């Protein structure tokens, strides 16, 4: 049997365990987000604290009176190598971004896509329709801002239409208005900067001599660009961006 045909069951088991942990983390943080909304927290910082602390386990009575604790209170600070650490040696080059669920996207976004250019290319690769399908119910806590930052930092004129499509798909996801309102000041600033760049990329070409004003408008605003500008104006309202 060819060595390439041998199945690495240990690696498959690690991938399965990582996927299960990512799904559990997504469900846990989403539940915490809903609880925070129901509690009508007073600030974004309080909301963020509730979600980030969702992995903490309540102390039992025996823990409070000095009994031996069998379950760690904060699993993220436990000494030694965790099973999560054991899976970090998987090469990102061998795992293309092909998520089928929001939890898988969140896992791959955190584990494999560490740099801004990598994240930007991954978003372009998936495209608006796929992202809209993945996040039909909701974009995970804090993820919307990260997506917008990646787009804002690396958007290029050649990608303008694709980026507009991604923004439109994200705006159609569940609880979009809530996720938008929970973005940090830095993320809001990046969002505004993204739309400023997109608007500048659609600036008409310089005036050409010998053409009337009407001909200049037709020359500088082809049908496709007009559609893009209409979409851009619609997105400005959805993302509550004012220049």
């Amino acid at each position: 049997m060819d060595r390439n045909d041998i199945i690495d069951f240990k690696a498959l088991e690690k991938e399965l365990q990582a996927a299960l942990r990512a799904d559990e983390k997504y469900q846990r943080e989403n539940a915490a987000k809903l609880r925070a909304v129901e509690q009508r927290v007073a600030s974004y910082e309080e909301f963020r604290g509730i979600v980030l602390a969702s992995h903490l386990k309540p102390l039992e009575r025996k823990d409070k009176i000095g009994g031996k604790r069998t379950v760690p209170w904060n699993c993220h600070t436990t000494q030694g190598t965790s099973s999560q650490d054991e899976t970090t040696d998987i090469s990102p080059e061998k795992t293309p971004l092909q998520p089928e669920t929001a939890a898988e996207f969140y896992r791959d976004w955190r584990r494999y896509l560490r740099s801004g250019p990598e994240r930007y290319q991954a978003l372009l690769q998936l495209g608006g329709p796929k992202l809209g399908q993945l996040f039909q119910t909701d974009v995970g806590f804090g993820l919307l801002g990260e997506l917008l930052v990646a787009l804002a930092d690396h958007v290029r004129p050649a990608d303008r239409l694709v980026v507009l499509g991604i923004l439109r798909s994200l705006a159609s996801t569940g609880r979009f208005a809530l996720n938008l309102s929970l973005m940090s000041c830095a993320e809001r600033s990046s969002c505004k900067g993204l739309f400023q760049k997109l608007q500048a990329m659609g600036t008409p070409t310089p005036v050409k001599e010998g053409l009337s004003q009407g001909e200049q408008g037709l020359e500088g605003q082809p049908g496709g660009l007009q559609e893009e500008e209409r979409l851009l104006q619609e997105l400005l309202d959805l993302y509550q961006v004012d220049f």
Side-chain angles (χ1 to χ4, degrees):
M1 179 181 293
D2 190 348
R3 174 172 292 185
N4 294 330
D5 295 333
I6 299 177
I7 300 176
D8 190 342
F9 289 100
K10 179 175 288 188
L12 289 176
E13 182 180 2
K14 288 182 179 180
E15 282 292 307
L16 176 59
Q17 293 298 328
L20 291 174
R21 285 193 299 273
D23 183 69
E24 179 184 358
K25 182 176 186 294
Y26 177 84
Q27 298 296 336
R28 182 182 67 240
E29 290 188 348
N30 190 58
K33 180 165 60 174
L34 293 177
R35 289 197 304 272
V37 172
E38 291 175 355
Q39 295 173 15
R40 300 181 183 277
V41 294
S43 65
Y44 169 77
E45 287 72 20
E46 185 178 353
F47 180 95
R48 185 171 183 270
I50 291 175
V51 176
L52 293 180
S54 61
H55 65 284
L56 299 179
K57 298 180 181 297
L59 294 174
E60 298 180 358
R61 181 176 178 82
K62 60 182 180 180
D63 296 320
K64 298 178 182 179
I65 61 177
K68 184 178 179 180
R69 189 168 67 245
T70 57
V71 178
W73 176 68
N74 186 350
C75 60
H76 289 265
T77 60
T78 304
Q79 296 294 330
T81 302
S82 66
S83 58
Q84 182 175 1
D85 295 332
E86 295 174 353
T87 63
T88 57
D89 59 347
I90 301 174
S91 173
E93 288 78 8
K94 297 181 181 179
T95 310
L97 187 66
Q98 297 177 344
E100 295 300 327
T101 65
E104 289 180 4
F105 177 93
Y106 187 85
R107 176 202 65 193
D108 294 344
W109 181 263
R110 298 293 189 194
R111 186 192 303 174
Y112 301 129
L113 306 176
R114 301 299 178 85
S115 69
E118 287 178 332
R119 291 184 166 188
Y120 178 72
Q121 289 300 325
L123 293 176
L124 295 185
Q125 171 192 329
L126 291 173
K130 180 65 174 181
L131 291 169
Q133 175 187 346
L134 290 173
F135 301 118
Q136 182 176 3
T137 302
D138 184 21
V139 179
F141 170 72
L143 186 57
L144 177 62
E146 294 183 16
L147 300 179
L148 295 177
V149 168
L151 293 175
D153 289 346
H154 304 284
V155 63
R156 298 171 299 189
D159 305 327
R160 185 176 191 258
L161 184 57
V162 178
V163 172
L164 288 173
I166 291 174
L167 293 173
R168 179 168 58 181
S169 293
L170 293 177
S172 66
T173 57
R175 293 195 285 268
F176 170 74
L178 173 62
N179 287 317
L180 187 67
S181 67
L182 294 173
M183 290 198 309
S184 66
C185 293
E187 290 168 344
R188 290 177 181 274
S189 178
S190 290
C191 180
K192 183 176 181 178
L194 171 60
F195 279 97
Q196 288 175 330
K197 292 179 180 179
L198 291 171
Q199 189 173 56
M201 291 173 187
T203 301
T205 56
V207 175
K208 297 181 180 180
E209 297 182 0
L211 294 179
S212 67
Q213 184 175 357
E215 290 171 332
Q216 291 287 354
L218 293 175
E219 185 77 13
Q221 294 284 339
L225 185 55
Q226 290 178 359
E227 291 298 325
E228 290 182 27
E229 293 307 310
R230 279 195 286 268
L231 175 57
L232 178 60
Q233 293 303 316
E234 176 186 341
L235 292 172
L236 284 170
D237 293 335
L238 292 173
Y239 283 82
Q240 302 175 17
V241 175
D242 295 321
F243 295 141

